[in-house]
Each structure stands twice: as C-alpha cells, then as structure tokens.
Amino acid sequence: QVQLAESGGGSVQAGGSLRLSCAASGYTFNINCVAWFRQSPGKEREGVARISTSSGTIVYADSVKGRFTISQDIAKNTVYLQMNSLRPEDTAVYYCALRVGACFSWSQSYFPYWGQGTQVTVSS
C-alpha cells in the first residue's frame, strides 16, 4: 500500500554536498517514522537519520551529526536528507524506510517499507 521513490544520489568529491529525497505515496497516513539507512560494501546496514513525522523528533547517527540534515515536506509527503561536507567513508547505498507507530530506534525489523536504494559515491 506504500510506495517509495528515492532520488538524489550520485558522485561527488570530498567536501561536496548531495540532497536525497524520499517521496512516499499510497496509504501513508498511518506512517509515523521515516529513516535513512546506508550500507557500504561488506558492511552492515546502519541507521543514519530518522524523523518522527508526527512529533518532528529527529535523531542522527554520531558519524553524521553536524553534516547531515533530515527534513520533511508534509505537503509533498517527502523526506529529505541534506548531506554536506561529504567524506569518502560516506560512500554507500542509501535507503529510506518507513514504519507505523513508534519512532524510538533504528531496529530494521520494525520498518516494513523500504526504498530500492540510491548510490552515493564520494571520491577523495
């Protein structure tokens, strides 16, 4: 019932910026939590940023604090991830994920809806 469209990935030099978008459609009225995850080759998928679409509460991973900003456009049913001061270690496939109910953790088992991923590559 929920469809996700991710965009904004690409290649950028270290220190550059990218803006990822996650547009949701379908029966999204019951969604209360949107998160961005990323996965680098050979590494476990990790949470990057999440936002409660009801309360606006935002949580960032320590590795991106001060560099990444998550935001939402309610009218467009879209969540953004503004990524500044990018580093080579930020290179990964980035996924947006949605869940119903609580927005208290990045436990992946609680997120039933996932985007297909968008590649972000940061060169040194």
Side-chain angles (χ1 to χ4, degrees):
Q1 301 297 322
V2 177
Q3 301 166 260
L4 302 179
E6 298 172 321
S7 62
S11 299
V12 65
Q13 293 182 335
S17 299
L18 287 172
R19 187 195 193 199
L20 306 184
S21 299
C22 179
S25 60
Y27 294 97
T28 61
F29 56 86
N30 58 343
I31 299 297
N32 191 54
C33 187
V34 181
W36 287 97
F37 294 83
R38 67 185 182 186
Q39 187 168 26
S40 300
K43 295 184 178 180
E44 193 80 10
R45 188 183 301 157
E46 63 177 348
V48 176
R50 69 176 188 265
I51 182 171
S52 170
T53 55
S54 58
S55 70
T57 300
I58 295 172
V59 178
Y60 296 102
D62 289 340
S63 60
V64 306
K65 286 181 180 177
R67 300 188 298 120
F68 291 11
T69 302
I70 188 171
S71 62
Q72 63 177 331
D73 186 329
I74 297 176
K76 295 182 179 180
N77 282 344
T78 300
V79 172
Y80 304 96
L81 185 67
Q82 178 67 46
M83 304 185 294
N84 298 326
S85 301
L86 284 164
R87 305 165 180 170
E89 52 263 42
D90 294 318
T91 295
V93 177
Y94 284 71
Y95 302 87
C96 64
L98 283 64
R99 67 164 291 179
V100 177
C103 199
F104 300 142
S105 78
W106 282 308
S107 180
Q108 297 177 40
S109 63
Y110 292 137
F111 288 85
Y113 307 109
W114 291 80
Q116 64 184 32
T118 183
Q119 177 71 47
V120 171
T121 302
V122 184
S123 60
S124 60

